[in-house]
Amino acid sequence: MSGSLAVERPADADILARYGPLLQRLTRATGVDPRWSALVDEAGEVWSRPGFDTVLSQGRLSFTPFDYQLATMQTVLRRMRGRAILADEVGLGKTIEAGLVLSELRMRGLADRALVIAPAGLVEQWREELERKFALPTTVAARGDWDTGEDRPVVLASLAAARRDPLKAAVVGQRWDLVIVDEAHRLRTPTSASGKLARALQTRYLLLLTATPVENRLQDLYELVNLVAPGLLGTAAEFRRAHGGAQAGVEELRNVAALRSRTREIMVRHRRSEVAVMLPQRLAETVLVTPSEEERMLYADITARIRHEARTVGAAQRLTLRSLTRLAGSSPAAVAPTLSKVGWADLATRARAIQRPRKTDELLARLRSHLARDEKVLVFTAFRHTLEALTKELAEAGVPAVCYHGSLSRREKDAVVTAFRGDMPVLLSTESAGEGRNLQFCHVMINMDLPWNPMQIEQRLGRLHRVGQDHDVLLANLVSRGTIEEQILRVLESKINMFELVVGELDMILGRITDDFDFETSVFTAYVTAEDDAAFAASLDDLGAEIARARGDYLRSRGAIDQLVGED
């Protein structure tokens, strides 16, 4: 069907392959056309299954869904016939709702061929959710093929890979029973690579997940709805005549009630104010640590040399200098090896001479305090050298800890998390644990260094602060005075109250600045081009004001979505 994800039915070849031997015997005995017999058998098998008001997959789940999530699953399957837009506000568990739909369809033999497309950073999270919570096998499609086996794994693919050949040709050439697309607002533009991929897929059932089915243009909503239910809103021309022009904004909408009535046929939206799901508080604390004189002078000399070099080198060398700046904000142990590699041997020698930075003393004091209250603690650092130095310091101090990093095998990572869930009180981790691991059994987190990308900060915190957390989440950011990280935190806290945002809202805010906006690049550019620290602080204030404007736009958009979609 042009302009939409086509609805596919089982081909005759599929039926014959499934029932081949039986049909041959049936044909010889009765002379009945095997295709008719197969269709009767298929219908009988479906009719004999319980209706969707019965949750068949309940016994396979490792968690208890909320009532509204179960209600969403049943609404999608019973009223929307498996094709829907899940548009809950961020943080309410659209992934859980989609997983429930997938599980119920698979239990009935209706979703043997299932595909999940998500942004690259969410693929591993989907894998963990489906395997751990729903007991569903998965396989990740990286190129033009993927692992297929008797357990019929759910195929996971990143949107970036799926919209390019050879993977695009492979997924477009397959007939799917169910396709799930996360962050589906990326499909709105039909002429984009993502939009073209969506419109070329063939699937019987379809779930689009997005908290922002419409942002600025009414046409965005039309395009998403037309993917799921072609013709529901009429032709594009009919939609424009009824509700607003092609470039019309939400504020220009006409016939609101009529549009809401139509969107309710294929869209589910819950707001936090409507459901009895209250996440605990985030209690964030910025701990400014005064460095020793040796640390302060080393940091000042490193950053001064970086500023000087960055004004004359090319793009590749600038990336190295940016990395060096972040390493300097983490620990002397982290920055020393890279100082040697870039030929700054004098600074490398000074970094190695600092045996124990002041932030480590602060960490040990806090760990002892939390452990005395039987509280588990997750400690994050971005860098392996800092992780190794902390591991040594904690061992010498007699503080039990396990380490989690990207070089561990999947089995080793599972063992580390199991140990942390059990008797081990401290988990030292790199960013790896910020991607896909759910650690709600812990509610205390300490950042030994601060990522310059706010989304990474959010990912770290999201391991603890999510549905299922029973305690207020305690977060301490250890930051050395006089560093770039101190200025970044000042802006994020003062301009957008970052640590008061709900999980997922930050992404919505930053995505509104420009299509190619990169916070980390903006910070480094401001730093190396500023004449002095005062000028750098002023530049960051301007950046913060831009982010604050984006937050205002997001809040207005969220209100507009509530006006256009969901329940009254």
Side-chain angles (χ1 to χ4, degrees):
M1 190 174 292
S2 177
S4 68
L5 287 158
V7 178
E8 286 294 312
R9 304 186 185 282
D12 286 349
D14 294 336
I15 296 173
L16 288 173
R18 186 179 300 180
Y19 292 97
L22 173 62
L23 295 173
Q24 288 174 5
R25 293 196 299 273
L26 182 62
T27 301
R28 287 194 296 270
T30 65
V32 176
D33 186 328
R35 287 181 172 82
W36 289 108
S37 297
L39 290 172
V40 171
D41 287 347
E42 288 264 328
E45 185 182 350
V46 171
W47 291 334
S48 67
R49 297 171 185 138
F52 288 119
D53 53 342
T54 301
V55 183
L56 295 183
S57 61
Q58 191 86 52
R60 296 170 57 89
L61 305 180
S62 65
F63 69 105
T64 302
F66 291 104
D67 289 343
Y68 76 89
Q69 294 170 334
L70 289 170
T72 295
M73 176 268 291
Q74 291 171 334
T75 296
V76 169
L77 293 174
R78 296 167 64 184
R79 180 159 64 85
M80 300 176 178
R81 300 183 180 182
R83 295 179 71 89
I85 299 173
L86 304 184
D88 289 353
E89 283 186 346
V90 292
L92 292 183
K94 292 184 289 293
T95 304
I96 296 296
E97 295 168 347
L100 289 169
V101 172
L102 170 57
S103 293
E104 290 301 305
L105 289 174
R106 279 178 70 92
M107 290 293 287
R108 291 164 171 80
L110 299 175
D112 290 350
R113 294 165 298 188
L115 170 68
V116 175
I117 297 176
L122 297 179
V123 169
E124 191 60 32
Q125 182 173 323
W126 269 95
R127 182 169 193 160
E128 185 196 7
E129 294 274 307
L130 293 180
E131 291 189 357
R132 293 178 180 276
K133 292 185 176 180
F134 296 92
L136 291 173
T138 66
T139 183
V140 176
R143 296 183 61 79
D145 58 0
W146 49 82
D147 178 36
T148 57
E150 294 182 1
D151 57 357
R152 301 161 292 139
V154 178
V155 179
L156 307 176
S158 75
L159 179 60
R163 66 192 180 197
R164 298 192 307 267
D165 286 330
L167 186 54
K168 179 182 177 181
V171 298
V172 166
Q174 171 88 321
R175 292 185 177 91
W176 300 98
D177 296 320
L178 169 65
V179 170
I180 300 171
V181 184
D182 200 358
E183 302 294 333
H185 47 270
R186 302 175 189 227
L187 311 180
R188 284 188 292 234
T189 305
T191 56
S192 69
S194 299
K196 289 177 180 177
L197 166 69
R199 288 154 180 81
L201 290 168
Q202 303 173 79
T203 184
R204 185 184 310 157
Y205 306 114
L206 171 66
L207 298 178
L208 301 183
L209 280 57
T210 174
T212 53
V214 59
E215 291 204 33
N216 298 318
R217 300 186 316 143
L218 289 174
Q219 189 70 19
D220 295 338
L221 179 64
Y222 175 82
E223 295 294 349
L224 277 190
V225 170
N226 208 46
L227 277 172
V228 174
L232 178 66
L233 299 180
T235 66
E238 290 170 339
F239 178 78
R240 289 194 292 270
R241 282 196 298 271
H243 302 294
Q247 300 301 317
V250 174
E251 66 281 356
E252 302 170 73
L253 173 67
R254 300 191 301 268
N255 300 321
V256 176
L259 181 57
R260 284 175 63 88
S261 176
R262 288 298 180 88
T263 58
R264 279 201 296 267
E265 294 182 33
I266 51 89
M267 190 178 299
V268 179
R269 179 172 174 81
H270 294 106
R271 289 166 283 193
R272 282 184 296 279
S273 59
E274 299 170 342
V275 300
V277 178
M278 294 296 293
L279 288 175
Q281 295 185 79
R282 296 176 176 181
L283 304 177
E285 177 187 10
T286 296
V287 182
L288 292 178
V289 179
T290 301
S292 66
E293 184 63 16
E294 292 81 5
E295 291 178 76
R296 187 189 67 78
M297 290 299 297
L298 174 66
Y299 185 86
D301 290 346
I302 290 174
T303 52
R305 197 171 298 185
I306 287 170
R307 258 183 173 156
H308 175 76
E309 294 283 336
R311 291 167 181 165
T312 58
V313 299
Q317 291 89 344
R318 262 201 169 206
L319 282 175
T320 300
L321 293 174
R322 189 171 78 185
S323 175
L324 194 58
T325 312
R326 289 193 56 217
L327 288 160
S330 177
S331 70
V335 74
T338 304
L339 288 172
S340 294
K341 287 180 182 177
V342 299
W344 298 353
D346 57 327
L347 295 176
T349 300
R350 288 168 57 188
R352 291 192 187 95
I354 299 174
Q355 295 299 310
R356 185 153 145 183
R358 292 284 173 83
K359 280 200 295 184
T360 302
D361 291 332
E362 180 67 28
L363 172 66
L364 287 170
R366 287 176 172 267
L367 288 178
R368 291 188 179 104
S369 176
H370 287 300
L371 268 53
R373 297 192 294 270
D374 290 326
E375 294 174 327
K376 291 182 179 294
V377 185
L378 171 60
V379 180
F380 265 116
T381 175
F383 304 106
R384 279 288 297 277
H385 287 293
T386 298
L387 184 76
E388 291 164 2
L390 291 176
T391 301
K392 179 182 176 183
E393 292 287 353
L394 265 62
E396 292 177 355
V399 177
V402 284
C403 294
Y404 188 107
H405 52 78
S407 297
L408 297 176
S409 68
R410 194 171 182 193
R411 179 176 296 180
E412 290 170 331
K413 289 176 180 177
D414 288 344
V416 168
V417 172
T418 299
F420 184 44
R421 188 189 301 269
D423 296 333
M424 196 59 65
V426 178
L427 175 63
L428 301 172
S429 178
T430 60
E431 304 294 356
S432 299
E435 300 171 356
R437 290 286 177 177
N438 296 331
L439 306 170
Q440 297 99 313
F441 55 86
C442 169
H443 67 276
V444 181
M445 190 175 103
I446 298 176
N447 283 327
M448 281 300 292
D449 44 48
L450 193 75
W452 288 12
N453 181 348
M455 286 307 303
Q456 283 186 292
I457 304 173
E458 180 67 38
Q459 285 172 351
R460 289 180 176 186
L461 189 54
R463 297 310 92 212
L464 309 185
H465 190 249
R466 58 193 305 111
V467 173
Q469 176 59 260
D470 297 327
H471 298 81
D472 289 343
V473 173
L474 310 178
L475 167 65
N477 297 306
L478 306 190
V479 180
S480 293
R481 295 183 186 274
T483 60
I484 295 175
E485 288 76 15
E486 180 185 2
Q487 294 290 347
I488 291 174
L489 264 184
R490 176 183 63 81
V491 167
L492 292 177
E493 290 181 321
S494 65
K495 298 296 184 180
I496 60 172
N497 299 320
M498 175 177 168
F499 296 108
E500 296 178 15
L501 296 174
V502 173
V503 173
E505 287 190 312
L506 181 62
D507 191 24
M508 300 293 176
I509 293 169
L510 296 181
R512 290 170 176 272
I513 298 178
T514 61
D515 289 340
D516 57 351
F517 174 73
D518 183 274
F519 186 88
E520 186 172 340
T521 300
S522 300
V523 169
F524 186 69
T525 300
Y527 185 73
V528 298
T529 57
E531 289 298 324
D532 52 32
D533 289 344
F536 171 58
S539 294
L540 276 195
D541 283 337
D542 291 340
L543 179 61
E546 195 170 358
I547 297 173
R549 284 193 295 272
R551 184 180 190 234
D553 289 344
Y554 160 70
L555 293 174
R556 285 189 291 274
S557 173
R558 190 176 70 184
I561 294 167
D562 290 340
Q563 178 188 7
L564 291 175
V565 302
E567 301 299 326
D568 290 321

